[in-house]
Amino acid sequence: MHMRTIEISVGAFVLAGILAMVVLIVRVSGVTLQTGEESHLVKAEFDDVAGLRVRAKVSMAGVTIGRVSGISVDADYGVAIVEMEINEGAWPLPVDTGAMILTEGILGARYVGLSPGGDPETLAEGEFITNTQGALVLENLIGDLVTRLGAS
Amino acid sequence: MTELLRALGISSLERLRSLGSATIMWLTAMAGLPRRGDLPLLIRQIYTIGVLSLVIIVLSAFSIGAVIALQFYTQLARFGAEDAVGLGLALVLLRELGPVVTALLFAGRAGSAITAEIGLMKSTEQLSSMEMMGVDPLHRIVAPRLWAGLLCMPLLTAIFNVVAIYGGSVVAVSWLGSDPGGFWAGMQDTVELWEDVGKGMLKSLVFAFVVTWIAVWQGYDTEPTAEGIGLATTRTVVMSSVMVLAIDFILTLGMYGDFK
């Protein structure tokens, strides 16, 4: 085969490969250019985060407005501290914003749902959301129910 | 008993020698970084290794994507979760099947050819006559193949993934009537650029290294007989496949370690 034909087909192959990578980046991973966008840190204390993972969604009114960036435990008080990165678009949040750990569907992944507050004062960078509600743990609920049924 | 121990010792030493000289071969071949005049050699190898593997990659990718979508759809539809087909398909392909199946096909299609070609060159004494002429066969024969493999595999994997995902969308969306919005949006919401796409590509690079190394070494080290070449070719395919699967498990553990 002529060198020219080989070169042309190699060129087409490399081009196809690069195009495939672009498709993977743009179409499949739907790349979100959040890296360039500024994000703001807020924290929240929960009594139970059961199953929440780092990189889980943070959403408000069903719209994803950030990601969980860190989960740690405060051993002195026995509470979990969740750090969240909130996107520029949803910032600033009112001081009385509520944070809840929710589940997508019945068995889906855990995420943090923020419910908007009405306070004109806003949270500062790295401040704590005080109005929080931890995860509903199904086993605890069933345990509760069983004890109550037994008592009555 | 002593005989047995002796045989064991001899064979382990032989294996160790093989590993050692394979490493030396790889290092010396790669140390002569490609020079300007090597480009035509490299292009010819990209053609035989990459372009000629394209047909088998595209065909298998399409049917694998279609089959995964079909299985996911029938199972997920029982829970009313057909929308998860897209993201399941994408994650399975990007993280595991894309790199692994591409590497297996690559070993069967290109790896065996490399071994047979170099083996035949050796048995017809082309390699030694090259040395006689002052041409380094490691530089002229081995290095372009190693480079071409490292270059082609990620490209082939990317093509495999894209074709398989579109194959899956043909089945799930066009044929079974799952919602295209859920299919693509679910995928884009969950798939992460580095975590899924990037790490998959990294895997394919590791596989490229392993498969081309084994293929070239088996050819280079073959017994210069017709039987030897046949054995070496088989060994390339078997060894590469086993190594790819084993390494994939280790890589997955390391990359996505938090399974608890």
Side-chain angles (χ1 to χ4, degrees), chain A residues 1 3 6-7 9-10 13-14 16-18 20-21 23-31 53 55 67, chain B residues 40 43-44 46-47 51 54 152 154-156 158-159 162 165-166 184 187-188 191-193 195 201 258 260:
Chain A
M1 195 179 301
M3 200 58 200
I6 290 178
E7 277 170 357
S9 55
V10 166
F13 166 66
V14 173
I18 292 170
M21 292 211 183
V23 170
L24 284 183
I25 291 168
V26 175
R27 184 95 168 109
V28 177
S29 80
V31 75
R53 296 286 194 93
R55 293 194 305 119
R67 300 258 160 208
Chain B
I43 287 180
R44 187 166 281 274
I46 294 177
Y47 177 78
V51 177
L54 211 52
C152 288
L155 295 177
L156 287 171
I159 294 173
V162 168
I165 287 171
Y166 275 95
W184 292 105
M187 191 185 297
Q188 288 163 0
V191 173
E192 302 252 342
L193 185 56
E195 196 67 12
M201 286 297 138
D258 54 341
K260 290 164 288 178

Side-chain angles (χ1 to χ4, degrees), chain B residues 59-127:
Chain B
L59 286 179
S60 342
F62 189 85
S63 40
I64 286 179
V67 142
I68 296 175
L70 199 60
Q71 292 288 2
F72 268 161
Y73 185 88
T74 45
Q75 297 309 314
L76 289 171
R78 300 199 303 187
F79 307 105
E82 311 87 292
D83 278 357
V85 171
L87 76 98
L89 178 73
L91 288 183
V92 162
L93 283 168
L94 291 172
R95 289 184 168 195
E96 301 293 343
L97 283 183
V100 170
V101 176
T102 308
L104 294 180
L105 292 172
F106 186 86
R109 168 67 188 73
S112 56
I114 292 174
T115 307
E117 196 184 3
I118 297 183
L120 196 68
M121 280 182 184
K122 186 181 180 189
S123 63
T124 51
E125 290 176 359
Q126 289 182 48
L127 294 184

Side-chain angles (χ1 to χ4, degrees), chain A residues 3 7, chain B residues 32-45 135 139-141 143-144 147:
Chain A
M3 200 58 200
E7 277 170 357
Chain B
L33 286 169
R35 278 165 250 164
R36 186 164 269 208
D38 298 342
L39 204 62
L41 290 175
L42 184 64
I43 287 180
R44 187 166 281 274
Q45 285 315 311
V135 178
H139 176 239
R140 195 170 170 82
I141 302 295
W147 280 112

